[in-house]
Amino acid sequence: MMRIVQLTTYPLKSPRHGGQLRCAAIRDGYRRIGIDVETIAVMHEAQYRAGEREKNDIALPGASTFWNLEQPRFVDLQTGACLAGEDRAYQAFKHILDRAQVDAIQLEQPWLYPAAKRYVDERKARGETTPHIIYSSQNIEWKLKRDERGAHDAPNASHMIEVRKVEALELDVAMASDLIVACTDEEAQELKSMRNGSTDTPCAFVTASNAIAPFEADSARLASLKQRHGLDRYPIFVGSAHPPNADGFWRMLEPSLAFLRPDEKIVVAGGVGHILHDHPICRAWSGINEPRLLTLGEIDRGDLSALLHGAAVILLPITTGGGSNLKTAEAIYTGNPVLATKHALRGYGDAAQWPTITITETADAFRRGLRALLDNPALAVRGDAYRKIRERVTWDHALAPLIDAIRDFAQQHSVRATSDP
Amino acid sequence: MSRIYIDITTSVRWRRPPVGIVRVEREFATYCLAHEPGTVFCEVDASGRYRALHADDVRKVLDDAWCETPAPAAATATHVPARSRVQRLADWAAAWGPKVVPAAAYPLLRDLGRVLVDHHGAFVRHRAAKRAAREAARETEQPSSVTTDTAAIAPARDDLFFSIGLQWHHGAMHAYKLKRASGVRVVEFCHDTIPIEHPEHSGSAKQPFAEYFTCLAHTADLIATNSDSSRDGLHAFYRRVGVLREPSLRTVRLATPPVHAMSEAASLAEAEASALDRLTTATGYVLYVSTFEIRKNHRLLFQIWKDLYARRGEGCPMLVLVGMFGWGVNDLWAEMQASDVWTAGKVVMMHHVSDAMLAHLYRECLFTVFPSLYEGWGLAASESLAYGKLVIISDAPALGEATQGLVPAIHPLDFLRWRDAIEHYVDDPAARSAIEARIRSGYLPRGWDEFSRELLAAARAVA
């Protein structure tokens, strides 16, 4: 039986955000085909409560000198450096890997590679077998970090220095990997080109887009939510507190929400609500925008499912970022009308041609598209007749190529770890 | 034939002499009461529903007595202490503060002192105005309020619903909900877009007005505006915020304020008669009728009068400022009271002036001025023309419309041109007479009936 240790920077006990959901789905998929998977989540001790962590998870000391408070958006990069550099934490990490006798280390995002590299290098130095490296990417991270600065922030040299560190880390991981998993074909191609045709270590590539677990809505809960918030026909926007989410929303809905009637509201779920109100485009006409936003913040999964199913339109105004978006899969799966940018559909093949999806590329067309969908319910094709298409965004479908690839990988590498000469 | 509904909530609730917007609603309603039989007049109730008013109540509300209060004494330099006790205390603290409080804390204490002085000044003026209004009300028997047990209105799709008063104050959503429920054709009125175009002159009104105008766009079939300038401003706003369906915008210019028949000075209230006496001097006076607020550009006139007084001394004409206190002028008010030109009585401020007193002021002045930075219309400028008086206006577009291009217009920040023009017309009676002759022959006064007929025609023309 193949043994894999999965490295993440967030615990998978109660997955909520996109990265957690993807990693948990991959772990479940591996376990279903008989792979022995353990997860080590490594994080700053102030992140996540103890009850949210699993037995192998490692909390790094807050007093470590590896943390740079001036660069809070690079805490994941600092986490990798801290794990590799803080001896006590590294020994705990090494102990788990030794005990597990792993055949492969699967890095979920590149952050913890410095510690994995130290582990591999130490084993090499001792002439011991070394585990294979599987790089499970979620984005081209350095580009994501570059764009996180926000369109309205001033250029910042120290930010760009950190971005370059991320780019170098990603390159190192790509060069050291035996199998690379990408979310989209475009990113798989980019990761291939990072290796620049290197044949030092043969590397396989596979694309496994993001997806969701099938979910159903509770109609009684939806009715209760609509009554509580005074909703009738409403658009919904779901996003985390990731600055490009707010930026994309306002870029596609600028100059303001004046095209919505005084009693119409866009329901905003997730952490993005907090930063949506601080965006310069929102503030410029706050008198118009504030009453047309119903920001609910982080909400219960059941409430979110109900609100998604009850929405007249699901908005995907995503203009930047890599990977493929879980919110897109959720939106498609509801079968409700989706108003999206082309960028929001990356990783979902021919989704732009699906009947429930409307694609627009400019703010004017986006606003007009939303107005039309709200005014004319007849325009809104509902996806009940397209169940087959909907199934394509579930994890079972999306991870199938990865499951095949890992089987092949196990066969090619004779299950057990390779021995270095 | 479609039925006319008019929301007169503003008129019902306004129990003081009407300002411009209130007058627009009252005059239009009065016209429809006389000439459009079957018109339904209504008021919005506490639950947001429009309730029809009894015919007797409508007549009562639209009668002049509904808004009448006798004019309280005019306030002039002699009525207001130059420096209040709070101001004196703040001045003392500013002078001695650095010696008695830690240096680090002084700027904070000084700023707090300024805020206190500003607010105290506003409070004193507010208290005086309330007291005057109370005393006036005691002396007048105002009609009682209207009946509130009437039925909610139920207009049909092709009826007309006019909502042209202080709707941002009463709630623009009520008309929106009526429109959504009934489909009635709604006519709203835009009096100006100052909070949008000049937020620095509107306190914190920009955002509430942005939402108000947006609400109108989703409610109205027609938005009438008092000038092309207001119409263009509203159109530009709708483009700026991305309104997708803009209602019809149509200019319906306001009427000329009525000219009051000359009454004997003896018929004025005692305080007004004595104030008028003080103005009757050999040098004469220049009149500015306008709310005392930052947008009206009183500062320009104050600077000019300081200059005139420094050069002419007692030969300097008086500047008479008539209007209620607005906002953003506390510093200017303090400066004025501390100045030589004020203590010499060359700048005089009057408020709560009666119509009869105003008529005297217009007729007796050398000429009037209107240097406002921006206007939606400028009723007082057209009022000056109605009295046949020269008015020097700023080049704000609406003022040009209101005065029909008959009078000199100067950029509101051009101190030298304003000063030279004022001196020219003070010193040259022939020049004044020439313009007054042009006004007499060229000015076309407009009545409220004409305004009302045009508004009705514009509304009926909307599909």
Side-chain angles (χ1 to χ4, degrees):
Chain A
M1 183 170 60
M2 187 176 190
R3 290 177 184 147
I4 292 179
V5 164
Q6 186 185 33
L7 301 185
T8 72
T9 48
Y10 30 75
L12 304 188
K13 188 174 183 182
S14 311
R16 283 198 306 272
H17 66 66
Q20 286 174 310
L21 290 164
R22 180 179 174 87
C23 294
I26 290 173
R27 182 167 73 176
D28 290 347
Y30 284 1
R31 283 177 178 166
R32 273 203 297 276
I33 60 167
I35 296 174
D36 181 4
V37 189
E38 287 195 56
T39 303
I40 306 174
V42 183
M43 70 221 88
H44 187 289
E45 63 184 359
Q47 288 181 309
Y48 301 96
R49 294 190 302 274
E52 293 179 280
R53 296 181 196 141
E54 295 178 314
K55 66 179 170 61
N56 287 339
D57 294 350
I58 297 170
L60 298 171
S64 168
T65 54
F66 286 93
W67 305 119
N68 180 356
L69 297 178
E70 289 177 8
Q71 297 291 350
R73 295 217 159 267
F74 291 86
V75 71
D76 31 24
L77 180 70
Q78 296 155 21
T79 300
C82 185
L83 178 65
E86 286 288 342
D87 203 52
R88 192 166 171 172
Y90 175 76
Q91 290 307 323
F93 170 76
K94 176 175 177 294
H95 174 73
I96 298 167
L97 290 177
D98 287 343
R99 175 179 52 73
Q101 297 183 15
V102 292
D103 300 308
I105 294 172
Q106 176 156 329
L107 290 153
E108 300 289 356
Q109 300 179 271
W111 312 123
L112 301 182
Y113 178 66
K117 181 174 186 302
R118 178 177 168 186
Y119 180 75
V120 169
D121 289 348
E122 285 176 357
R123 287 188 70 92
K124 269 185 193 167
R126 292 196 298 270
E128 295 170 352
T129 56
T130 59
H132 294 289
I133 299 292
I134 300 171
Y135 176 36
S136 174
S137 79
Q138 293 179 6
N139 296 287
I140 302 300
E141 299 289 351
W142 72 268
K143 288 185 177 175
L144 198 68
K145 293 291 184 191
R146 178 194 63 191
D147 297 340
E148 260 185 2
R149 194 165 48 81
H152 53 279
D153 292 343
N156 183 326
S158 58
H159 178 95
M160 283 313 295
I161 290 170
E162 300 301 307
V163 169
R164 293 294 161 230
K165 286 182 191 169
V166 174
E167 188 178 9
L169 174 67
E170 246 173 328
L171 180 63
D172 286 348
V173 179
M175 295 300 288
S177 296
D178 302 286
L179 172 64
I180 293 179
V181 188
C183 283
T184 67
D185 290 336
E186 293 77 14
E187 286 177 5
Q189 198 55 45
E190 192 157 352
L191 289 161
K192 264 182 202 168
S193 62
M194 267 190 203
R195 288 174 60 91
N196 201 19
S198 166
T199 53
D200 292 350
T201 48
C203 179
F205 288 84
V206 62
T207 299
S209 64
N210 273 326
I212 51 159
F215 62 94
E216 291 302 327
D218 178 342
S219 55
R221 191 183 282 219
L222 173 61
S224 157
L225 285 163
K226 286 176 93 166
Q227 187 185 21
R228 190 191 314 159
H229 297 296
L231 298 171
D232 181 22
R233 285 179 57 72
Y234 63 89
I236 188 169
F237 172 58
V238 185
S240 63
H242 176 56
N245 287 342
D247 206 47
F249 179 90
W250 287 115
R251 276 171 186 270
M252 296 311 291
L253 289 163
E254 67 181 348
S256 82
L257 303 181
F259 67 99
L260 295 176
R261 296 195 185 104
D263 55 353
E264 287 177 332
K265 292 176 192 300
I266 297 177
V267 174
V268 181
V272 71
H274 306 302
I275 55 173
L276 218 52
H277 293 272
D278 286 336
H279 196 279
I281 294 176
C282 183
R283 288 202 308 264
W285 296 111
S286 59
I288 297 169
N289 296 327
E290 299 281 356
R292 288 171 175 77
L293 291 173
L294 176 64
T295 44
L296 302 176
E298 304 278 358
I299 57 172
D300 173 66
R301 179 68 226 179
D303 284 355
L304 179 60
S305 298
L307 286 168
L308 281 167
H309 273 282
V313 190
I314 301 173
L315 303 178
L316 297 174
I318 301 166
T319 54
T320 58
S324 63
N325 205 295
L326 281 173
K327 303 294 178 287
T328 302
E330 273 179 347
I332 292 170
Y333 188 77
T334 62
N336 283 349
V338 175
L339 181 60
T341 56
K342 198 172 170 189
H343 194 81
L345 297 177
R346 70 207 181 283
Y348 293 98
D350 62 349
Q353 312 300 321
W354 296 357
T356 56
I357 295 174
T358 306
I359 303 288
T360 62
E361 288 300 287
T362 65
D364 187 57
F366 202 89
R367 288 183 299 116
R368 287 179 190 281
L370 176 52
R371 184 69 269 158
L373 286 165
L374 290 173
D375 285 343
N376 308 303
L379 284 180
V381 178
R382 298 192 85 83
D384 301 335
Y386 303 97
R387 184 160 292 277
K388 281 265 186 277
I389 291 178
R390 290 171 53 189
E391 299 301 330
R392 284 159 62 178
V393 297
T394 59
W395 284 119
D396 281 350
H397 186 278
L399 292 185
L402 172 59
I403 298 301
D404 291 344
I406 205 77
R407 274 203 192 99
D408 293 347
F409 184 82
Q411 282 172 3
Q412 283 170 19
H413 297 279
S414 310
V415 177
R416 292 295 308 160
T418 56
S419 175
D420 254 40
Chain B
M1 188 77 172
S2 61
R3 172 166 283 195
I4 295 171
Y5 291 80
I6 305 177
D7 170 17
I8 58 167
T9 305
T10 299
S11 301
V12 170
R13 297 180 188 175
W14 192 274
R15 306 301 302 267
R16 293 174 278 155
V19 295
I21 295 167
V22 182
R23 185 166 293 284
V24 169
E25 183 183 286
R26 289 179 62 83
E27 295 290 352
F28 179 67
T30 301
Y31 175 85
C32 292
L33 183 65
H35 300 98
E36 295 290 338
T39 298
V40 177
F41 299 87
C42 54
E43 179 196 12
V44 70
D45 70 10
S47 67
R49 276 178 302 186
Y50 290 95
R51 294 194 172 278
L53 295 167
H54 292 307
D56 289 347
D57 281 339
V58 175
R59 276 189 286 275
K60 193 163 63 177
V61 167
L62 296 180
D63 190 273
D64 286 348
W66 187 257
C67 300
E68 268 177 9
T69 52
T76 64
T78 55
H79 291 89
V80 183
R83 286 164 72 233
S84 68
R85 269 181 296 177
V86 172
Q87 175 73 63
R88 287 200 299 274
L89 180 64
D91 290 348
W92 180 87
W96 290 93
K99 295 173 185 161
V100 294
V101 297
Y106 174 68
L108 177 65
L109 290 173
R110 182 197 58 205
D111 291 348
L112 282 173
R114 284 178 184 163
V115 170
L116 181 65
V117 167
D118 276 0
H119 281 76
H120 179 258
F123 169 71
V124 167
R125 290 194 295 277
H126 176 72
R127 189 177 55 183
K130 294 281 276 188
R131 187 183 298 141
R134 263 201 314 277
E135 284 168 5
R138 237 180 267 134
E139 293 167 21
T140 317
E141 277 196 25
Q142 280 192 320
S144 57
S145 61
V146 298
T147 312
T148 55
D149 61 347
T150 48
I153 63 168
R157 289 185 70 82
D158 60 348
D159 288 340
L160 285 168
F161 181 83
F162 288 87
S163 170
I164 61 175
L166 299 163
Q167 308 316 104
W168 59 90
H169 187 69
H170 305 309
M173 279 297 280
H174 306 314
Y176 168 77
K177 286 177 181 166
L178 183 74
K179 168 78 177 177
R180 296 288 293 168
S182 66
V184 65
R185 287 179 293 162
V186 175
V187 179
E188 304 264 6
F189 205 99
C190 169
H191 299 273
D192 64 67
T193 52
I194 293 165
I196 302 298
E197 293 180 65
H198 299 276
E200 71 280 14
H201 298 149
S202 311
S204 54
K206 178 183 174 181
Q207 296 302 342
F209 267 84
E211 172 54 5
Y212 166 68
F213 287 132
T214 301
C215 188
L216 293 198
H218 289 283
T219 305
D221 295 276
L222 169 71
I223 301 179
T225 61
N226 52 5
S227 64
D228 290 345
S229 172
S230 295
R231 182 199 59 200
D232 295 347
L234 189 59
H235 175 65
F237 166 72
Y238 284 148
R239 287 180 65 89
R240 276 175 78 187
V241 299
V243 162
L244 296 179
R245 190 198 68 86
E246 190 176 299
S248 292
L249 304 180
R250 167 82 190 269
T251 302
V252 182
R253 293 197 172 85
L254 300 189
T256 310
V259 173
H260 291 273
M262 189 63 170
S263 49
E264 293 300 320
S267 69
L268 296 174
E270 192 180 328
E272 286 190 334
S274 85
L276 199 61
D277 280 346
R278 284 198 295 274
L279 301 178
T280 313
T281 63
T283 57
Y285 63 90
V286 176
L287 180 66
Y288 185 22
V289 179
S290 165
T291 307
F292 184 48
E293 68 173 58
I294 191 166
R295 175 171 59 88
K296 301 294 188 173
N297 205 14
H298 289 80
R299 181 172 289 283
L300 174 87
L301 296 177
F302 173 54
Q303 301 293 359
I304 289 171
W305 250 260
K306 280 200 301 186
D307 184 76
L308 291 179
Y309 182 63
R311 289 192 288 108
R312 294 178 170 229
E314 284 308 309
C316 172
M318 295 172 78
L319 172 64
V320 178
L321 306 172
V322 175
M324 61 185 185
F325 255 92
W327 72 280
V329 283
N330 282 342
D331 285 351
L332 176 60
W333 179 230
E335 276 180 53
M336 281 170 63
Q337 292 176 95
S339 69
D340 290 341
V341 69
W342 174 268
T343 49
K346 292 295 182 184
V347 177
V348 173
M349 184 168 286
M350 309 174 88
H351 51 84
H352 294 298
V353 166
S354 70
D355 286 345
M357 176 70 168
L358 193 62
H360 278 287
L361 290 171
Y362 269 118
R363 290 189 197 280
E364 302 300 325
C365 71
L366 296 170
F367 56 90
T368 72
V369 285
F370 210 108
S372 179
L373 297 169
Y374 181 87
E375 284 297 321
W377 174 245
L379 212 58
S382 61
E383 190 171 44
S384 183
L385 268 60
Y387 281 97
K389 283 290 181 180
L390 156 68
V391 53
I392 307 173
I393 57 170
S394 80
D395 61 4
L399 287 174
E401 290 182 57
T403 53
Q404 300 174 6
L406 294 168
V407 296
I410 302 172
H411 191 281
L413 301 179
D414 192 337
F415 172 88
L416 291 176
R417 283 191 61 209
W418 270 93
R419 187 197 64 183
D420 293 349
I422 286 169
E423 282 207 285
H424 171 61
Y425 289 113
V426 163
D427 294 336
D428 189 348
R432 292 201 302 268
S433 298
I435 295 202
E436 286 170 1
R438 194 200 307 170
I439 291 167
R440 276 195 299 279
S441 62
Y443 182 62
L444 298 171
R446 180 176 159 88
W448 284 111
D449 283 7
E450 196 178 345
F451 164 82
S452 302
R453 280 196 299 274
E454 198 178 315
L455 181 57
L456 277 170
R460 286 176 171 140
V462 174

